[in-house]
Every structure is written in C-alpha cells, then in structure tokens.
Amino acid sequence: MMKKKLLNKVSATVLAGLMLCSITGCGEEIDAETAETSQEELTLQDVTEDATGAATSDDAGDTATSAGQESVDDPYISKALSVAGNVPMDVQESLVDDFDGDGDKEAFVFLGGEPDEIIGSNGSLWFVSDDSCEQVLEQKNIAVNEKGSVFEPMTVENVKIVMLTEAYISEAYSKIFFVKNGKCEKSRISGTGYLYTDEKIDDFLVSHPAYDMCVEYEIGADESEKMATGHTWKNYYAYFDKDKQDFCYYGAHSITEDELASICGIDLASEIRNEGFQVDDIYRVDNGVVIVNYSEETQNGNTVSIEYHNASFYEKTKQFLDFGIDGDKQWQKSDQGGIYSF
C-alpha cells in the first residue's frame, strides 16, 4: 500500500507545539529535549491513503516568484498586485491549476511580508481567474513550509483542495479552500482548528484550542469571576462528505456508564472514581471514538480549584488512544486535558 506524508515539516512543527501545549497544561514546563523529540516524531509520521479517504499530498504551486523578480512573469500575481494595491510583497507565490475540472485554469495568489521563522509570512490570499480577482483571506500570519511555500494542496475524493496554516506561537488554524463552478469556496470547517491526519485514526482530526484545563474561584463567586487557565488542544473528528464535496465534523451523542463499560470491556467509570475523580459527560462520536470527561475538585480555604481531564477509547482498535501522557493505566495516557463538548 502506498504511503503519503501529508504533514510537511512546517505542519509537523506547528502540530508538535500544539500537542506539547496540551500535554503540559496548567503552567507546567517542558524541556527543549522533549520538544525536539516530539517534533521529529511528527515530521516522520506517515499515513496511508486508506486512512484519509483517498487523500494525497500534492506538490506546491506551479509558479512562485520573490519580490526581487519581475512579477509580470506571472500573470496571476500581476493581476492580484494590480487589484491589491499597497500590500507587502516580500513573498509572492501562486498555485495554478484547473481546480474544478472545467477546462479553465485558476490561481490562488499569496502576497505577504518577510517570513518569520516561527509564524511565517503575514499576508493575504487572492483567488484569480480569467474574469475575476478577489481577496479570499485577509492579512494573517501564514506558515511557510520546508519548500518555501505557504500552500499545502491535497486531493480528497478527486476534489483539489488548497490549505494554508494560520500560525501563532501556540495556536494554528487550517484555512481551507476549493473551487466550484469557477468560484472560490471556503470549507465549512475552515478556521475552526488545525486539520491533520494520524495513522491511528481513520479520516481527519481537527485540533481545537481552549483555555479549559483548570478553573479556580472563591466560594460564592459569580460565574464571570471564575478564572480558567491551562491551554489545551483537543482532537475533534472530521470526514470528507462526497455529496457535499466538503469536510464535515462527525456528530456525537451521550451514552450511559453501562454502555461505556460494554464498549470498553471494563467498568471505566468505576476505575476513574477509584482514582479520586468525578465522572462527567460521556460521548460516543460517530466515528467510533468514545470520550469520557472527568474532573477533580480541591479546596484550599475559600479557594476552589477544578482540574478537567478526559479519556478517549477507539472502538475500531479496542484500545485507548495514547497521547503520551504519564499514567499507570491506559485511560490516563489518553488525556488531552479540558472539557469536550458537542
């Protein structure tokens, strides 16, 4: 079976940072050696075509020029520049293709400032065709990959998709576009989180950021006075819908503790309680991932602290998903921190 590396170097680096933020949580620090190891593991990650619904990675744009070259060499960049006016031009790159298969070529053009090693190039994205030129993404920090490209194109179910990564120090968001009937359309999940693949899970994962690992408050405080801390990145799950020709999130529904035990083969709720935690909401996602929210409340004088955790069990493999968290039991290693909600 042919394998594709869907995560390029910049995507792996961004994802490593996000996962480390999730792992540390609540103000804990992680050393540089651990960070370097995690990044390397993600950079080398392979996924199979079957695991992503026939998704494949594509080469970067057909044409790319720097500010030092004559932009007139690329008619798509020239057209975008003429419409954009006064914009940063340190990075000028176009991705040209017949994206919707109608026989006419279109282009996505990125115009940005000088790239930063961490957060990439601050710039805008333009969609250019024979009869139009429109800005489809305003000024954002866009990651630049090891090929020097901001574009991460891929094909899923014969649909050509253009993806860019809006990058920050500890957060990243996938901006996802495709072309239909000669018009640029934005995916319904674009900007909701960071889209990636993992060989342990079918379909796609989308990491969502939140500050929800810990809540601290004084007894009698209003909800508005409760302080949430701890940056988490929790995986939600998506698939490519052939009829909608777009990504969609899997739905989820609540299940009982008895149903949870039947799925996992153990009385997981009792095990969690035996470790001193409270069992909160339990969900079964439609892709077969079962998620248990649990928490621990402590009190010091008038100050109450609640720390939130979760466990993820995958029905297909009959195993807990391992996110590298310390713990004597497998369900403890599947904790991403924070509260899952659907």
Side-chain angles (χ1 to χ4, degrees):
M1 180 181 296
M2 182 180 295
K3 290 188 175 182
K4 300 287 186 179
K5 291 188 177 181
L6 293 185
L7 292 180
N8 57 36
K9 185 175 181 180
V10 67
S11 299
T13 303
V14 169
L15 182 57
L18 302 182
M19 293 183 70
L20 291 174
C21 286
S22 175
I23 291 170
T24 56
C26 289
E28 296 180 24
E29 295 183 355
I30 192 160
D31 58 43
E33 182 179 354
T34 303
E36 182 177 351
T37 301
S38 298
Q39 176 179 330
E40 180 66 16
E41 290 173 352
L42 286 165
T43 302
L44 297 177
Q45 180 187 50
D46 288 333
V47 294
T48 65
E49 288 183 338
D50 288 349
T52 59
T56 61
S57 61
D58 300 318
D59 291 333
D62 294 340
T63 307
T65 65
S66 68
Q69 294 175 294
E70 290 294 332
S71 60
V72 71
D73 293 342
D74 187 317
Y76 299 101
I77 291 179
S78 296
K79 190 170 184 177
L81 285 171
S82 67
V83 175
N86 186 23
V87 296
M89 294 185 296
D90 295 285
V91 176
Q92 302 173 24
E93 183 182 4
S94 65
L95 184 70
V96 183
D97 204 341
D98 177 8
F99 290 98
D100 56 359
D102 64 355
D104 296 323
K105 286 192 173 183
E106 304 89 11
F108 287 89
V109 175
F110 180 80
L111 303 175
E114 183 177 356
D116 177 88
E117 184 176 347
I118 297 177
I119 58 176
S121 173
N122 184 267
S124 56
L125 183 67
W126 298 76
F127 176 72
V128 183
S129 63
D130 288 341
D131 56 2
S132 69
C133 179
E134 61 174 328
Q135 181 176 311
V136 294
L137 182 65
E138 60 185 14
Q139 295 285 129
K140 299 290 183 182
N141 294 325
I142 302 299
V144 179
N145 64 30
E146 61 183 353
K147 297 180 181 179
S149 174
V150 298
F151 294 113
E152 301 175 45
M154 62 178 173
T155 300
V156 185
E157 300 292 352
N158 296 318
V159 176
K160 295 179 179 180
I161 295 167
V162 176
M163 186 167 70
L164 302 87
T165 300
E166 182 183 350
Y168 300 95
I169 298 299
S170 62
E171 294 185 2
Y173 300 88
S174 296
K175 301 294 186 177
I176 306 167
F177 303 90
F178 53 91
V179 180
K180 185 176 181 180
N181 298 324
K183 304 295 183 182
C184 176
E185 295 194 10
K186 183 170 65 174
S187 170
R188 67 190 63 208
I189 72 168
S190 179
T192 61
Y194 181 77
L195 176 75
Y196 72 105
T197 56
D198 189 306
E199 60 187 0
K200 298 187 293 292
I201 292 285
D202 290 344
D203 297 307
F204 298 88
L205 299 85
V206 186
S207 288
H208 283 217
Y211 284 93
D212 64 349
M213 182 169 282
C214 308
V215 171
E216 188 173 281
Y217 60 94
E218 297 295 318
I219 294 176
D222 295 333
E223 283 295 322
S224 61
E225 298 176 306
K226 295 182 179 180
M227 182 175 64
T229 60
H231 198 174
T232 66
W233 276 87
K234 293 182 290 298
N235 289 328
Y236 286 78
Y237 302 95
Y239 63 98
F240 193 83
D241 189 294
K242 293 181 181 180
D243 295 329
K244 294 183 175 67
Q245 295 287 280
D246 193 5
F247 295 100
C248 298
Y249 279 109
Y250 280 104
H253 62 274
S254 298
I255 62 173
T256 66
E257 293 184 9
D258 288 340
E259 290 173 316
L260 173 66
S262 176
I263 292 171
C264 297
I266 59 173
D267 187 355
L268 180 57
S270 293
E271 280 202 19
I272 292 174
R273 289 194 184 93
N274 289 339
E275 294 294 326
F277 298 102
Q278 172 182 307
V279 177
D280 301 317
D281 294 323
I282 307 171
Y283 299 102
R284 184 192 180 278
V285 186
D286 291 343
N287 69 336
V289 175
V290 178
I291 298 169
V292 183
N293 286 316
Y294 61 95
S295 57
E296 181 180 28
E297 181 177 318
T298 58
Q299 185 173 336
N300 183 10
N302 289 327
T303 302
V304 177
S305 297
I306 305 176
E307 190 168 306
Y308 296 99
H309 303 272
N310 49 74
S312 294
F313 182 86
Y314 192 26
E315 284 187 78
K316 182 176 181 179
T317 60
K318 302 298 182 184
Q319 294 180 337
F320 289 95
L321 297 175
D322 190 342
F323 296 114
I325 306 301
D326 291 336
D328 296 330
K329 301 180 184 298
Q330 288 301 311
W331 58 266
Q332 293 173 321
K333 297 178 181 180
S334 70
D335 181 18
Q336 295 181 88
I339 307 169
Y340 268 97
S341 59
F342 292 90

